[in-house]
Amino acid sequence: HILRGHRSAVTCLTFDEHYITSCSDDGTVKLWDLRSGEFIRDLINLNEQADDEHGGAARVVWRGQCTETQMICAVGRHHEDDLRTKLLVVDFFKAVTRINEQRDD
């Protein structure tokens, strides 16, 4: 299958027997059906509620890993004044939680 939907480079793929998740430079994590290749939904869209704190610098999902109930993602920005990496834990049954913040110096 060709999975079309990201607006920038794909940075990470994970899969199991039913689904594929793709993380991207466009700030999204997308969920796909493994058998059909059909897009199901965005699991994360960091730019949907972006603020202008850094001139609208795009948010990026660098890496992600899923289980059946959770996803953990390393996220950041494309901006030289904001080099922080944040880890987000997405519990598919609860709200998104930020668990760590690290500055890359």
Side-chain angles (χ1 to χ4, degrees), residues 57-95:
R59 293 176 175 132
V60 178
V61 181
W62 304 114
R63 297 286 180 266
Q65 186 65 44
C66 284
T67 68
E68 289 183 10
T69 60
Q70 289 186 322
M71 172 175 239
I72 187 167
C73 295
V75 301
R77 287 183 180 261
H78 278 303
H79 195 279
E80 62 189 33
D81 292 335
D82 189 356
L83 302 176
R84 292 174 291 175
T85 297
K86 300 173 186 168
L87 296 178
L88 296 179
V89 175
V90 178
D91 184 319
F92 298 135
F93 303 102
K94 296 181 182 176

Side-chain angles (χ1 to χ4, degrees), residues 6 11-14 21-24 27-31 42-46 59-67 70-77 84-92 96-102:
H6 286 292
T11 57
C12 182
L13 284 174
T14 62
T21 57
S22 55
C23 303
S24 174
T28 63
V29 176
K30 296 185 181 296
L31 181 65
D42 282 338
L43 295 175
I44 296 174
N45 187 338
L46 298 176
R59 293 176 175 132
V60 178
V61 181
W62 304 114
R63 297 286 180 266
Q65 186 65 44
C66 284
T67 68
Q70 289 186 322
M71 172 175 239
I72 187 167
C73 295
V75 301
R77 287 183 180 261
R84 292 174 291 175
T85 297
K86 300 173 186 168
L87 296 178
L88 296 179
V89 175
V90 178
D91 184 319
F92 298 135
V96 175
T97 306
R98 181 185 307 157
I99 63 167
N100 193 4
E101 195 168 293
Q102 176 181 346

Side-chain angles (χ1 to χ4, degrees), residues 3-5 29-33 36-42:
L3 307 178
R4 299 187 193 276
V29 176
K30 296 185 181 296
L31 181 65
W32 311 85
D33 182 273
S36 69
E38 184 177 332
F39 171 74
I40 297 171
R41 66 180 294 247
D42 282 338

